[in-house]
Each structure stands twice: as C-alpha cells, then as structure tokens.
Amino acid sequence: MSTFELLSKNVQKKIWDMRWEEFTPIQDMAIPAIIKSDSDIIISSGTASGKTEAAFLPIITMIEKEAEKYLKVIYISPLKALINNQFERIISLCEYTNIPIHRWHGDVSHSQKKKFIQNPTGILQITPESIESLFINRTEYLVSFFQHVDFIVIDEIHSFLDSERGVHLRSLLSRMEPYTKKSPRIIGLSATIDNFPLVKKWVNHSDPESVQIIESPGNDKDLLYSLIHFTADENNKKPLELYEDIRLLTKEQKALIFCNRRGEVEETTVMLNRLAAKEGIEETYYAHHSSIDKKEREYVEKRMAESTVPKSVVATSSLELGIDVGSIDLVIQLDSTFTVSALKQRLGRSGRQRDANQILQLYSTNIDSFLQSLAVMELIREKWVEPAKGYPKPYDILFHQIISICKETNGVTLENLLLRISQINIFSELEEEKILLLIDHMLETEILEKIQGSTELIVGLEGERIMRNRHFYSVFMTPEMYEVVAEKKTIGKLDKVMFLNVGDNIILAGRLWKISEIDMKRNKIYVQKAVDGNPPKYTGGDVKIHKRIPEKVMEILCSNQTFTYLNEEAADLIEDLRRPYQNNQVQLTERIIWKDKEEMFFETFTGTTIVKTLVWMLRAMGIDVRTPDGLGRVKLPSSVNIFDKLTQIKNKNWDMREIIAVTKENEFFVSKYSKYLPQEIQLEMHASHEIDINGVKAFLNNYNFRVIEN
C-alpha cells in the first residue's frame, strides 16, 4: 500500500486540493511509521522539508473519528508566534474533517479559552508555560483535558533539550500521564538535532530504544554562500561599506538579516533604511527581536509575508525558528553565530520554494568573528552539528515543580510527594537524600508549610508570593524591563540596567526616539520621534561554545586549505593569520603559548566549559590569569612556569571545593530559581553546569604544549 493510500479519504482529498505531485522524502518515511506503529517518533529533517505535514497528515487520519468528541492531540511549541503561524496551517490540513483546532497561550482571549474548557476536543496548540498554568489554575479540568489524548507533537524539539525549559516540559508531560487513559505518543520535530541516544531517553526514559528516529537524508537544494570581511574600527564600529554592501545585495531580494544582539539589530536597521532613503525609497528594513512589542513584531511578520516587493527583516534568533515571513530569497548573518545549529537553522529559512536554492551571505567585522564564521561554515559543510547534552542536576526545576504539585493537589503528604517526584523521569537521577534536603529547606524558608496536626504539605506564604508572580509559569530568567511608549502606543522594552536619562536619544523598533519622561513607579519610558539615536545596550547571557568550533579554527590556521567563498580581504586575512603557525611549523597535535616580556597568550582552542575550568585551576595554584575569550585564549604572567603548572593540573586529584574557593561571585551558575536552593545544592548545580575536570585532563593529555617567544 502506498503512502498516499494509508491516509484517510478526507486527507487524500486535501492533498489533491494542494496539487502535490509527490511526498517529500521525510513524509514518505514518517507517514507509514506513524500509522503502522505505536512508537514515539522523532522526525529529523531540514527546514521546509514538510515535517509538519509529515506528522499531522497521519495523525489527522488516525484521530478524525473521535476528535469531534475529545481532545486527541496536544501540539507544543517553544513560541507563541509559532503557534499562531501554524494555527492556519493546521486548520487548512483539517479542512475536510470536523476536527476543532484550539490555541492556548497568554495572548489568547478568555472567551476562546472558556470555549475550549467547555468542550475540550480536537487539537490543542499550547506552550509549556500554559500547560503549567493548567496544572495550577484549572486542576478540576485536567481529567477532561487529558484523558483521551493520543498524540503530543513537540515542534522544534531541539530547542528544549539542553535548557531548563526542556526539563520543565518533560516534567509536565510526566505529570500529565496519570490523567490519561493510555500514554500519549510523542512525535518530535526538528531540523537540527544530534545525539539521538540522549533524545530518545528524553522522550521515553523507561524504554528509549523503542523511540523511532526518522531522519531524512537531506534535500537536493544547492547551498550558495560566501564570506565577506570588513574591518571594524578600534571602537568596534562597523564601517559604512558593510551596510552599503548589504543594501546592494538586498535591493532586489527579500532577505532575513541576522544579528547576534538586539542593539546590533537596531543599529543595522536604521543604517540600512538611511541608505534606502538616499535612493528615495521609504522604510524597507524592519527590526524584529524579543524586546520589540508583540504587535510591532506581528506587523513586521505580516508585512513581510504579504509583500510583493523586496523588503527585509533584521532580526536576532526571534526569527530563527519557523515563523512565516513569506518566501525568503537570501539569508545574511552579520558576524558569526556562536553555534553551528543556529546557523544551520537560519540558513534554512531561504530557498523554501520548490526550485529555489538556499543562499547565505556571511559578514565578519573582526578577527575572532572571521575565524569563527569560517569554522562554523566549514562545520556546516561537513554536516556536523552540536550534540544535545541535556540539562544536568535540575534541582532548580524540581523546586518549581514541587510548588506546582502542592498547588495541583491542594496539599500532599511527604510520602506521596516523593512518589510523584519518582514518577517524573527527568528527575530520576537526582539523589533522594538531596530531594529531602531541598524539601526541608523549602519548609524552613516558608516556601512550603506543613498543615498543623497533619502530615500534608501545602504552599507556604513565601511559596504563594513566588507562585503569584505572573512570571512563575516560566522557568527561564527574564530581565527587569521598562515599557517604552510613544504616543500612547507601546513599541517595546528596554533593560532596567541601562543608564537612561530624559533627553537621551535611542533606537528601538528600527526607529529613532528621544526620551521625554521616565516613570520609575510604573516602569515606563515615554519617547517622541528624534533625528538620531544610539542602539540600546541589552543584557544577555553567556553563550557556551562547543569545543569542536575552536578546534576547527586551529585546523584552519594550521592548514593550507583555500576557501573559494572568501572575498579578497578575507582571503588575505586568513593568510596573515596563518603565517605565525606556518613559520613555526605548528602541528594540529599542539597548542601554543605565545610569550613576550610581559605576558603569555595561551591559545587553548577548546570549549568554553573546559577552558573556564582550566582558568579556575590555574587560579587555585596562585596564578593571576585573565578570563578567557570566546575561542579559549587566556592571558597569564610571563613569569609562570606553564609546563610545570599544566603537569601539576593533569596529575592532581582535584577536590571540587578547591575550584569553587577561587570562583568569583559573577562566575557562579545562576538560574531563575537557583537562589532558593540550599547552598550545598547550588554548588552541586554549579559544578555540573560549569566545571569539567575530566574534560581538562583529557585536553592536557591529548595535546603537546609549546611556548613560542614573540
């Protein structure tokens, strides 16, 4: 029986309507797998390969008879905007069925939610945070919501695996199971995923080998790419020639222009629109990032999707996932992404039309960005991507879930609480002794309370204060922000840590503003239009770089490989950067310490966690060592006998406390709820997330070290 014949008549009719001539490879593999098995399934394939249809066409076939009566599918997305985008798409796929489609997130109206509560049927699109709100605020409906669910579809599953949000989601799915008649099948969708054993365990802890991986060999589209280098000035200000080149490239093409920071998005948008204005063209570049108001972002998405003339969006990772902005001709990356997976996800936004190629233009503006861009691009060419690693020792998420469970149950005995925790597989590797320590600490700090004359635990006064915060449903950190208002219209947000005064000029949402009033009590900044401005400086977390990227940089520096996709300046730059390595006949098995009279410059070219641990070890030995840069290069005094110290580090039986003793306050692991944990558990989380003693020892054993004097 063909793939098409496996589908229901209503689904077949929809496929005829869409005038499909054939299924994509991933659809041809996934549709039979979903229909003919009872397995959890991961669908891994490039962007625009039809993963959504690969999941939903067979699911619709299997649920359409009962979906009018019961909720059968929960579709989970990392973004509300992605839910909104997929809403119409899924409605369209269900056109010839009577399957209702519902949305539930913070922007959905009360009346729509009430309609679902009264009749939970069909397909529910929801975020993890909104599932959390159901457990806390709609406990009486959990049975009616979940009892008939057959499928849980997790879109962009890779975005959850390594984060606290992924632990949270997995906990919620485990807590959902007691309310279901049978365990729902999980169908995960991703374009960038690796380390399938970890993914399988995340999906099905009790039987990971039963999880099927459906992986497409890829698409037949060509990837056209180049890397152009422009040198920024000593203040890291990007040259006008860079923006002129981007303008020339995007005059006749719709582009997504990615920057790594929100401030860079604002500055780039203004510069490009100024260049367009010189040509007599009105606003043609739009800014898009998480601190721009939702309505502004939706306006940009709509304008881009509907535009028939060349317009472009300048964005951060806010458009990295599959939000629909119409057909994109070209993806531009301004300075390197920190991960291969991010660049792979971004370049997949172009070339979605049937006969279109994927086009990627990389720009770099400093030496480190150039080397990293080149390394990341070469790893893309090698089809390598960062393996998922998970989120170790999630005591912070357990803290959050204990509060939620106590609220859900309206009181639970310690014995039953421990039983519930043991049934949440994502917490299975946490020690019961430490879990009891955490619960005792929560009682001592009044986050939990024991009912007098009873053994039941309930949410305490401090726990109520935490839980009643509107941000409780999310487990990730968000900075305190000012709301920015222009003419009674909210345009976005600014970090409170910024030093702002009335009269300052800023850029926000790609436009220029002057601050007219700062209302500290209401956390609002009022602005009016201006003729110039400075990009806002937003806070941002550290990005950890996988060791394979710096290793690739070293391979490039030690090789004679030519890169035909570099412009002349970039080609000259790589030759200049290689010269010291070639002159000193540096081998790939070596790591070099460049030495002058004042200091040594140790090029470890390894991953962030390994080099940070090495720095702490050197610091524990009394050495004044600087914080490493992104590619793992460290400065230390030239007087140090580095060979002796590295040998001592390699041979020493390290006690974690020695490393923690020299760790500065701002270097400790911090998450949204870590501050509420006992000190002992905070340090254990820090060690599991930030310290890699075995990684350092393996690094020291794998390489020879040589000092070269300048």
Side-chain angles (χ1 to χ4, degrees):
M1 187 178 288
S2 70
T3 300
F4 182 76
E5 291 170 326
L6 290 171
L7 300 169
S8 72
K9 297 300 181 187
N10 288 326
V11 173
Q12 288 179 6
K13 186 178 179 183
K14 180 61 187 177
I15 291 171
W16 282 117
D17 273 6
M18 294 188 291
R19 300 188 178 185
W20 287 9
E21 295 177 4
E22 60 184 0
F23 291 112
T24 65
I26 196 67
Q27 292 165 352
D28 245 338
M29 290 186 282
I31 291 170
I34 293 172
I35 290 176
K36 292 181 177 181
S37 79
D38 295 321
S39 302
D40 299 316
I41 291 174
I42 302 297
I43 300 174
S44 176
S45 182
T47 53
S49 59
K51 290 187 296 296
T52 301
E53 290 79 8
F56 273 99
L57 293 178
I59 287 173
I60 292 166
T61 293
M62 298 172 76
I63 69 165
E64 62 179 333
K65 291 179 181 177
E66 290 192 310
E68 290 181 70
K69 298 179 183 177
Y70 309 114
L71 177 64
K72 303 299 290 182
V73 180
I74 297 177
Y75 164 95
I76 298 169
S77 166
L79 298 174
K80 292 185 286 187
L82 196 52
I83 285 176
N84 295 338
N85 261 205
Q86 295 283 37
F87 184 65
E88 297 298 332
R89 189 174 180 182
I90 296 172
I91 284 178
S92 176
L93 292 178
C94 295
E95 181 179 359
Y96 295 115
T97 73
N98 293 313
I99 299 175
I101 319 295
H102 307 274
R103 285 178 287 186
W104 190 301
H105 55 66
D107 299 332
V108 173
S109 69
H110 178 72
S111 61
Q112 287 178 282
K113 290 177 178 176
K114 186 176 180 181
K115 182 180 177 182
F116 171 76
I117 290 169
Q118 292 170 342
N119 189 23
T121 54
I123 298 170
L124 175 65
Q125 295 179 281
I126 195 166
T127 60
E129 292 70 33
S130 290
I131 297 176
E132 179 66 68
S133 77
L134 297 181
F135 276 101
I136 289 176
N137 301 314
R138 312 284 181 175
T139 52
E140 68 272 30
Y141 298 107
L142 295 178
V143 173
S144 65
F145 288 168
F146 300 142
Q147 62 178 331
H148 296 287
V149 172
D150 289 337
F151 292 96
I152 293 167
V153 179
I154 306 176
D155 207 352
E156 308 287 1
I157 192 172
H158 64 274
S159 68
F160 292 109
L161 296 173
D162 293 342
S163 70
E164 61 267 66
R165 206 172 175 213
V167 177
H168 184 209
L169 172 58
R170 201 63 199 80
S171 173
L172 293 169
L173 297 182
S174 295
R175 289 171 60 191
M176 193 185 293
E177 289 214 17
Y179 296 99
T180 62
K181 289 187 175 181
K182 63 178 181 180
S183 294
R185 293 171 64 188
I186 292 177
I187 311 294
L189 312 179
S190 177
T192 54
I193 202 165
D194 204 347
N195 192 359
F196 286 120
L198 183 143
V199 179
K200 287 181 173 183
K201 190 175 180 182
W202 189 94
V203 168
N204 189 333
H205 188 277
S206 58
D207 188 12
E209 290 311 306
S210 70
V211 180
Q212 284 193 58
I213 305 295
I214 310 293
E215 189 176 12
S216 170
N219 59 46
D220 55 359
K221 292 182 180 295
D222 288 332
L223 172 59
L224 310 177
Y225 52 93
S226 72
L227 169 56
I228 298 177
H229 183 72
F230 289 95
T231 304
D233 66 17
E234 61 271 13
N235 298 314
N236 206 29
K237 192 171 181 62
K238 295 175 175 59
L240 180 60
E241 291 79 9
L242 166 68
Y243 300 112
E244 289 173 336
D245 200 78
I246 296 174
R247 172 62 191 146
L248 186 64
L249 198 58
T250 55
K251 271 185 179 182
E252 305 297 331
Q253 300 188 86
K254 283 179 71 174
L256 277 179
I257 304 165
F258 285 105
C259 302
N260 293 323
R261 295 175 180 84
R262 289 168 283 177
E264 289 178 350
V265 167
E266 298 289 359
E267 188 170 30
T268 301
T269 305
V270 167
M271 290 299 295
L272 291 173
N273 276 321
R274 285 176 64 186
L275 290 171
K278 284 178 66 177
E279 302 165 19
I281 300 172
E282 63 178 27
E283 184 179 50
T284 189
Y285 298 91
Y286 303 106
H288 192 291
H289 58 75
S290 60
S291 292
I292 294 173
D293 185 67
K294 176 181 72 72
K295 290 181 180 177
E296 288 279 325
R297 295 199 306 270
E298 288 175 348
Y299 167 78
V300 169
E301 293 158 19
K302 189 169 186 290
R303 285 294 301 267
M304 284 292 293
E306 295 176 351
S307 176
T308 57
V309 297
K311 289 187 180 293
S312 298
V313 181
V314 188
T316 57
S317 58
S318 63
L319 283 179
E320 189 175 291
L321 302 181
I323 296 171
D324 182 22
V325 288
S327 174
I328 297 297
D329 302 311
L330 168 72
V331 168
I332 293 173
Q333 175 63 47
L334 186 52
D335 285 319
S336 176
T337 57
F338 298 103
T339 65
V340 176
S341 60
L343 185 60
K344 184 178 178 183
Q345 192 79 30
R346 292 174 184 188
L347 70 86
R349 299 306 310 274
S350 73
R352 291 186 171 223
Q353 291 178 307
R354 181 173 290 272
D355 297 319
N357 292 318
Q358 293 181 325
I359 303 176
L360 172 66
Q361 178 61 65
L362 300 165
Y363 291 98
S364 60
T365 60
N366 59 66
I367 288 173
D368 284 5
S369 168
F370 169 68
L371 286 171
Q372 197 164 314
S373 296
L374 193 51
V376 168
M377 192 63 235
E378 285 300 295
L379 291 168
I380 289 270
R381 282 159 48 92
E382 293 173 13
K383 302 189 185 310
W384 181 89
V385 69
E386 289 85 359
K389 61 184 185 304
Y391 184 88
K393 304 289 184 182
Y395 288 104
D396 50 347
I397 313 306
L398 176 60
F399 166 89
H400 176 272
Q401 290 295 276
I402 287 172
I403 295 174
S404 178
I405 290 168
C406 288
K407 181 65 176 177
E408 174 198 349
T409 56
N410 199 26
V412 59
T413 64
L414 176 60
E415 182 181 4
N416 281 335
L417 177 60
L418 291 173
L419 177 63
R420 279 176 169 262
I421 292 169
S422 71
Q423 293 168 340
I424 301 174
N425 290 326
I426 200 74
F427 299 133
S428 63
E429 293 177 10
L430 301 182
E431 301 170 41
E432 184 170 325
E433 179 186 343
K434 297 284 175 59
I435 294 172
L436 288 168
L437 174 65
L438 172 59
I439 293 169
D440 285 343
H441 185 74
M442 292 174 75
L443 285 165
E444 289 171 14
T445 53
E446 298 186 2
I447 288 162
L448 297 181
E449 180 183 330
K450 188 176 285 186
I451 298 175
Q452 199 166 10
S454 167
T455 59
E456 285 198 348
L457 304 177
I458 60 171
V459 180
L461 290 176
E462 280 301 302
E464 289 282 355
R465 183 183 61 78
I466 294 168
M467 192 177 63
R468 290 177 189 276
N469 186 302
R470 64 189 178 91
H471 296 299
F472 175 75
Y473 304 126
S474 65
V475 295
F476 50 88
M477 295 181 75
T478 51
E480 288 192 76
M481 310 285 276
Y482 288 112
E483 182 183 348
V484 181
V485 179
E487 298 176 354
K488 298 183 180 180
K489 178 184 175 184
T490 300
I491 57 169
K493 298 175 182 178
L494 293 175
D495 284 5
K496 275 195 170 183
V497 295
M498 291 176 62
F499 188 71
L500 297 167
N501 292 300
V502 172
D504 285 354
N505 286 8
I506 60 167
I507 307 172
L508 187 60
R511 299 182 186 93
L512 307 168
W513 310 98
K514 182 183 288 291
I515 297 175
S516 55
E517 181 186 349
I518 301 176
D519 187 335
M520 305 288 284
K521 289 184 179 179
R522 298 170 64 199
N523 294 324
K524 288 191 176 185
I525 291 177
Y526 296 90
V527 298
Q528 57 194 33
K529 290 181 179 178
V531 294
D532 62 2
N534 297 309
K537 292 180 173 62
Y538 292 97
T539 57
D542 292 334
V543 179
K544 292 181 180 176
I545 295 177
H546 190 279
K547 66 178 183 177
R548 187 69 192 100
I549 296 174
E551 285 172 359
K552 191 65 183 177
V553 169
M554 186 62 170
E555 289 173 21
I556 290 168
L557 290 171
C558 291
S559 79
N560 293 312
Q561 180 184 355
T562 57
F563 306 98
T564 57
Y565 55 91
L566 302 184
N567 74 327
E568 186 176 349
E569 185 174 347
D572 290 343
L573 179 58
I574 192 62
E575 291 308 308
D576 289 343
L577 294 172
R578 281 172 166 170
R579 199 159 290 119
Y581 300 86
Q582 293 170 342
N583 291 345
N584 290 282
Q585 298 181 328
V586 175
Q587 304 298 309
L588 271 180
T589 54
E590 293 181 304
R591 287 297 183 264
I592 302 302
I593 301 110
W594 304 94
K595 183 178 181 181
D596 59 27
K597 291 181 180 179
E598 300 296 324
E599 59 187 3
M600 291 187 288
F601 194 53
F602 185 5
E603 292 184 327
T604 67
F605 287 129
T606 189
T608 304
T609 306
I610 293 173
V611 73
K612 278 168 57 175
T613 305
L614 177 60
V615 163
W616 287 326
M617 289 171 165
L618 289 166
R619 199 184 288 168
M621 301 176 90
I623 298 169
D624 178 22
V625 55
R626 306 271 183 88
T627 303
D629 66 17
L631 291 173
R633 294 171 296 200
V634 180
K635 288 184 180 180
L636 58 164
S638 61
S639 57
V640 173
N641 185 335
I642 190 65
F643 297 120
D644 180 54
K645 297 301 181 187
L646 294 180
T647 301
Q648 288 181 46
I649 288 171
K650 183 167 60 174
N651 296 330
K652 182 178 171 62
N653 185 19
W654 284 92
D655 186 326
M656 200 72 71
R657 289 171 294 186
E658 296 174 278
I659 296 173
I660 288 172
V662 297
T663 305
K664 296 174 182 176
E665 187 174 346
N666 67 329
E667 295 173 334
F668 278 100
F669 171 81
V670 176
S671 68
K672 185 172 181 178
Y673 293 106
S674 60
K675 64 183 178 182
Y676 298 106
L677 306 177
Q679 182 72 9
E680 177 184 338
I681 293 179
Q682 286 188 40
L683 294 178
E684 186 175 341
M685 282 201 73
H686 170 74
S688 65
H689 285 261
E690 305 295 336
I691 299 176
D692 187 359
I693 292 172
N694 291 334
V696 170
K697 292 197 171 190
F699 168 74
L700 295 178
N701 282 316
N702 288 341
Y703 292 102
N704 300 315
F705 300 93
R706 177 156 53 118
V707 171
I708 298 176
E709 299 205 15
N710 293 326

